[in-house]
Amino acid sequence: MKAIVIGSGIGGLFSAGILSEKGYDVVIYEKLAFPGGRFTNLEYRGFQLTTGALHMIPHGSRGPFAGMLRKLGADVEIVDSAPEATALYNGEVYEVVSDSFPILTVMKFAWEVFKEKIFRKEKSLWDMVSGFDPFTKKFTRAFCGWSLSILPEDMPFSRMKKIYDMVRRYRGPGIPIGGCRAVIDSLIEVLESNGVKIFLKHPVERIITDGSIVRGVEVKGERIESDVVVSDIGHSLTAGLTQSEDYMSWVENLIPSRGIKISVAVKEPFVGHTGVMFTLDTERISGMNEVTQADENLAPGGYHLVMTHQPVITSNVRYEINLGLKDLKKLMGDREYEILAIQSYSGDWPVNRVSAGRDVGFRTPFENLVVVGDGAKEDGIEVEGIAVGVVRAMEEL
Ligand SMILES: Cc1cc2nc3c(=O)[nH]c(=O)nc-3n(C[C@H](O)[C@H](O)[C@H](O)COP(=O)(O)OP(=O)(O)OC[C@H]3O[C@@H](n4cnc5c(N)ncnc54)[C@H](O)[C@@H]3O)c2cc1C
């Protein structure tokens, strides 16, 4: 049996790993000159910046993502964050633990969860927390911005509850030694030893369909047949490649999430730990990390690499960047810092191909075509949701 994987992002590589273990003959076609998609390093003056991700694995060595790496035999060392998170609030830094939230808020939350279970009336996360104390409201906004690149107004509470349950179960983040690229390199080593072939600079131009069956793909004008096609490029781009009007109209309203990342060099540590620092007093920046606290080689000697993240709220990206820069200036005060890169993510290179909580699953109108990656993830933060989604999709094939 032959499987074609379109795209070499995390979703594509995980799928190729599982399929090759199942005995499929797997070929990956990647449009770009490098593998890894939005989860790999971009070296700049000795700083390991990235094509997307903030070098963080949302549940560190304990979650589904790390579990998948172990299952496939990929050797990646993950430093679990300690503390997992702090919050900068009213100029003070607090460690975020369950005691950080007032007891009344905890009780109100339990009551809201109970009501949701009984009445099943959908409300947004923001509606849910609107009567809570100011710290919890600001923390909720920062958490959504940092972890999901959305506003709490756009997150259905029932979906957020699943993410919350995962955080309780698997706990907070971790940083892979070597950054995102170490994960990709290790996965590729495993895939190659399983006989998977990866063709870079080979964009898939068309998915060849015959009724409800996919027959293969077209690459560089050549027809390549396969029994199964796994697409790691989200439903919208996949539908476009099939040229199926039904599929295209089914997915036309899927909204990606957009974000802005600012990579900053500092000499004196700013965050000072391996976790996330949520920023509650800012207008746009939701949080930041300092990945060199886990792996000093992610920056040249004498420097720390700080990455900030913010969701894009209006349609004016330049305006959003300016607000982020204003926040950064306020956060840094009179410390010395240098901006290394400002990257904005939208369109075909977004934060998530489908905004968190709005995912529509891996199925397509075609029996042997599935979508993986963050365009079809299950409930779970970022690459954790991808790992869970890949498992479900591969079970179906
Ligand atoms: C700013 C930012 C910060 C983030 N931070 C984190 C984080 O810290 N932790 C975390 O878990 N997640 C984070 N994420 C999300 C995470 O990076 C993505 O969810 C994940 O990398 C997406 O993987 P994927 O498999 O869905 O697809 P992608 O990485 O998008 O891979 C798809 C691949 O398909 C290729 N492709 C496209 N079209 C074709 C075609 N026609 N033919 C062949 N190939 C094609 C693309 O070139 C690409 O390489 C962040 C994202 C951004 C943008």
Side-chain angles (χ1 to χ4, degrees):
M1 295 271 275
K2 182 168 176 184
I4 286 176
V5 176
I6 307 174
S8 67
I10 284 294
L13 298 180
F14 276 171
S15 304
I18 295 179
L19 290 172
S20 59
E21 279 190 347
K22 280 187 174 181
Y24 279 84
D25 181 9
V26 186
V27 179
I28 303 177
Y29 292 107
E30 166 57 54
K31 175 170 85 166
L32 298 177
F34 61 87
R38 286 167 285 153
F39 202 87
T40 193
N41 299 9
L42 271 182
E43 180 161 349
Y44 175 67
R45 285 174 31 205
F47 291 91
Q48 297 300 325
L49 311 186
T50 71
T51 52
L54 298 145
H55 286 309
M56 273 199 146
I57 298 173
H59 300 307
S61 67
R62 299 160 290 237
F65 182 87
M68 175 75 88
L69 291 176
R70 282 193 294 272
K71 184 180 168 310
L72 294 175
D75 183 19
V76 180
E77 188 187 341
I78 300 167
V79 176
D80 288 322
S81 301
E84 293 171 354
T86 53
L88 185 55
Y89 178 55
N90 289 340
E92 300 281 334
V93 178
Y94 301 88
E95 184 171 346
V96 181
V97 284
S98 44
D99 287 357
S100 312
F101 302 92
I103 185 73
L104 190 61
T105 294
V106 175
M107 284 160 67
K108 278 184 183 170
F109 180 75
W111 172 238
E112 291 293 343
V113 171
F114 174 75
K115 280 199 305 192
E116 199 269 332
K117 240 187 196 159
I118 300 295
F119 302 117
R120 302 232 164 252
K121 200 168 161 240
E122 191 58 270
K123 48 162 108 172
S124 76
L125 175 61
W126 191 244
D127 286 340
M128 223 282 287
V129 301
S130 57
F132 288 11
D133 65 286
F135 173 83
T136 306
K137 286 203 289 192
K138 285 191 166 191
F139 177 78
T140 303
R141 194 164 279 285
F143 181 87
C144 285
W146 169 268
S147 309
L148 308 168
S149 290
I150 56 172
L151 299 175
E153 288 87 336
D154 298 326
M155 185 68 185
F157 174 62
S158 58
R159 305 292 290 262
M160 190 62 192
K161 172 68 178 47
K162 292 185 180 150
I163 289 179
Y164 170 76
D165 290 342
M166 279 184 75
V167 173
R168 279 175 55 123
R169 180 169 173 198
Y170 297 118
R171 307 218 50 82
I175 296 170
I177 296 291
C180 296
R181 166 111 192 242
V183 173
I184 300 302
D185 285 350
S186 179
L187 278 170
I188 285 180
E189 208 180 303
V190 169
L191 297 185
E192 285 179 345
S193 73
N194 289 1
V196 175
K197 292 189 189 68
I198 305 177
F199 292 98
L200 302 176
K201 296 202 245 176
H202 275 65
V204 169
E205 288 143 0
R206 193 160 78 88
I207 296 175
I208 303 159
T209 60
D210 178 3
S212 64
I213 302 283
V214 164
R215 298 288 177 203
V217 299
E218 201 174 286
V219 180
K220 298 197 173 188
E222 194 189 329
R223 180 186 170 104
I224 299 146
E225 306 224 331
S226 72
D227 301 290
V228 160
V229 173
V230 175
S231 171
D232 184 32
I233 63 176
H235 280 287
S236 305
L237 292 175
T238 307
L241 291 180
T242 64
Q243 293 165 2
S244 154
E245 287 190 2
D246 284 350
Y247 189 11
M248 287 195 273
S249 67
W250 177 52
V251 296
E252 73 186 351
N253 294 326
L254 294 181
I255 302 168
S257 51
R258 300 174 298 152
I260 293 165
K261 178 177 69 189
I262 308 177
S263 298
V264 183
V266 288
K267 285 195 169 156
E268 293 301 315
F270 182 73
V271 175
H273 59 75
T274 51
V276 181
M277 178 188 269
F278 292 103
T279 49
L280 275 52
D281 302 329
T282 43
E283 206 169 333
R284 281 298 191 274
I285 291 179
S286 308
M288 56 217 301
N289 63 9
E290 197 164 75
V291 289
T292 35
Q293 293 289 341
D295 180 359
E296 61 182 21
N297 293 323
L298 294 172
Y303 285 97
H304 280 283
L305 172 59
V306 170
M307 289 171 158
T308 73
H309 186 63
Q310 62 188 86
V312 172
I313 295 172
T314 67
S315 56
N316 186 338
V317 175
R318 198 158 285 277
Y319 169 75
E320 297 289 327
I321 289 174
N322 283 336
L323 288 180
L325 291 173
K326 223 166 104 190
D327 282 341
L328 182 66
K329 200 167 173 193
K330 182 171 143 194
L331 287 165
M332 291 291 173
D334 50 16
R335 283 183 178 78
E336 261 185 50
Y337 66 98
E338 183 193 349
I339 295 172
L340 299 167
I342 302 170
Q343 292 162 283
S344 87
Y345 295 87
S346 60
D348 287 351
W349 205 262
V351 177
N352 282 165
R353 294 191 192 278
V354 178
S355 185
R358 311 274 169 190
D359 302 276
V360 291
F362 59 81
R363 289 194 181 84
T364 71
F366 302 93
E367 286 168 30
N368 53 343
L369 169 67
V370 292
V371 172
V372 295
D374 69 8
K377 58 186 186 317
E378 294 283 323
D379 291 311
I381 301 172
E382 306 292 359
V383 296
E384 304 288 357
I386 293 180
V388 180
V390 166
V391 171
R392 301 256 157 84
M394 296 304 106
E395 277 167 4
E396 183 90 349
L397 287 176

